[in-house]
Amino acid sequence: MATSLRVNAQEIIPLYSGAVPNSKVSDMQESGADKGVLKGITKPTLEYFKPAPDKATGTAVVIIPGGGYGVVVYQGEGVNTAKALAEKGVAAFVLKYRLPSDAIMTDKKIGPLQDAQQAIKLVRENAAKWGVDASKVGIMGFSAGGHLASTAATHFEKAYIDNGSNTSLRPDFQILIYPVISMQDSLTHGGSHDNLLGKNPSRQDIDLFSNELQVRANTPPTYLTHAADDKLVDVDNSIIYFERLRRQKVPVEMHIYPKGDHGFIFRHPGWMDPLFAWMKANSWVKN
């Protein structure tokens, strides 16, 4: 990412115009803005990074930073990535989503998914206003944010939000960076699993949120990248997802670095180059 990254956020958009669904009255306060790592989020938003008009491709990406469903790595994985995408002509929307919590949610398992679905819906419904092609709205997630992005990409046939206008909640593509995919004990990241599902979830919930089990022929085209030596989220999450997608004949590309561990984007400055090549091959960016 040696580009000049002159892009600044255009606006911060509340995710919901009215009441936030599935929320309880709470005195929880958001914190961490000074460090760029957030928690205590009760009012989810999208932060819009608009590409220069002469570069705009019409493609939009909703970016979901990670943090084990315990925090949101908003600056490092969200804002920095949004600026790099906007430089390539992509309208980038960083999702500040609610973290699963019994203190603020009636059902914490679906809270983050509601916010991801609402983000896709909002970008599609405001496509003309934001200069976006409604048929080129992708989703991108890092680590536990990769779990959330892949959940949105495999659970779109059921709306967990109010969707009276029946807007498509299916992302047109998914980009997953060292993602948590599975909630199965042998594969999952323990912290993400416990934060989302609790310590003793039902077998039904474990399977429902193990996204490798939810892949269908209509799952969106996918880009995966991971480091083989990831000690936090086993690379088998990406490999198993790749296999399931390939068997369903979903177009999928995967880049595995031999070294880099978890969060390798902070150590591999060129990590987005193969991603942009993939996006160009699919006509989502120009060059």
Side-chain angles (χ1 to χ4, degrees):
M1 284 193 292
T3 48
S4 50
L5 300 189
R6 291 179 302 276
V7 183
N8 291 310
Q10 301 295 305
E11 57 183 313
I12 294 182
I13 303 133
L15 207 53
Y16 303 96
S17 55
V20 177
N22 181 33
S23 62
K24 288 189 204 168
V25 177
S26 157
D27 56 6
M28 187 178 282
Q29 296 294 312
E30 187 177 313
S31 63
D34 54 325
K35 296 185 175 66
V37 178
L38 308 178
K39 58 183 179 180
I41 297 155
T42 56
K43 294 185 173 66
T45 59
L46 281 177
E47 187 169 0
Y48 175 29
F49 292 79
K50 184 180 182 180
D54 60 324
K55 290 184 177 178
T57 58
T59 300
V61 173
V62 172
I63 301 167
I64 308 181
Y69 282 128
V71 296
V72 175
V73 185
Y74 193 82
Q75 184 69 38
E77 291 175 340
V79 171
N80 291 349
T81 306
K83 289 179 176 179
L85 284 168
E87 284 281 345
K88 287 287 184 181
V90 176
F93 296 85
V94 184
L95 178 61
K96 183 171 82 175
Y97 58 100
R98 291 171 293 161
L99 295 160
S101 163
D102 292 323
I104 63 165
M105 294 168 181
T106 312
D107 180 357
K108 72 173 186 174
K109 298 186 301 295
I110 63 165
L113 177 56
Q114 288 175 308
D115 292 353
Q117 287 193 338
Q118 180 72 9
I120 294 284
K121 176 175 179 262
L122 209 55
V123 174
R124 281 235 165 87
E125 290 180 352
N126 290 280
K129 173 181 154 187
W130 291 328
V132 165
D133 180 336
S135 67
K136 290 184 174 181
V137 180
I139 201 162
M140 178 179 196
F142 298 78
S143 193
H147 182 265
L148 182 48
S150 63
T151 305
T154 50
H155 293 69
F156 55 82
E157 283 171 350
K158 177 178 177 180
Y160 287 85
I161 50 167
D162 180 32
N163 189 19
S165 50
N166 218 19
T167 301
S168 170
L169 302 177
R170 177 187 180 271
D172 293 301
F173 55 91
Q174 56 175 332
I175 299 165
L176 306 177
I177 321 295
Y178 39 82
V180 178
I181 293 291
S182 187
M183 287 289 135
Q184 307 293 323
D185 286 345
S186 55
L187 262 186
T188 195
H189 170 245
S192 301
H193 169 284
D194 293 357
N195 285 334
L196 185 68
L197 302 182
K199 294 274 191 196
N200 297 296
S202 68
R203 169 51 54 191
Q204 185 181 1
D205 282 341
I206 292 169
D207 290 351
L208 182 65
F209 288 97
S210 290
N211 295 327
E212 76 277 14
L213 304 180
Q214 308 304 326
V215 173
R216 306 289 180 265
N218 63 351
T219 300
T222 306
Y223 179 93
L224 290 157
T225 186
H226 219 119
D229 66 346
D230 193 320
K231 291 183 273 301
L232 205 62
V233 176
D234 196 302
V235 68
D236 280 350
N237 279 270
S238 284
I239 291 168
I240 284 171
Y241 199 53
F242 175 91
E243 285 289 339
R244 296 294 172 103
L245 291 160
R246 185 178 68 84
R247 285 179 197 146
Q248 290 285 352
K249 301 191 165 35
V250 174
V252 55
E253 182 165 326
M254 180 165 63
H255 291 258
I256 297 181
Y257 294 92
K259 289 190 164 40
D261 206 349
H262 200 63
F264 69 76
I265 63 163
F266 301 107
R267 294 176 288 282
H268 280 304
W271 75 273
M272 291 184 94
D273 295 343
L275 168 59
F276 288 135
W278 175 79
M279 292 184 79
K280 186 181 177 186
N282 286 283
S283 302
W284 292 312
V285 299
K286 289 173 184 164
N287 51 41

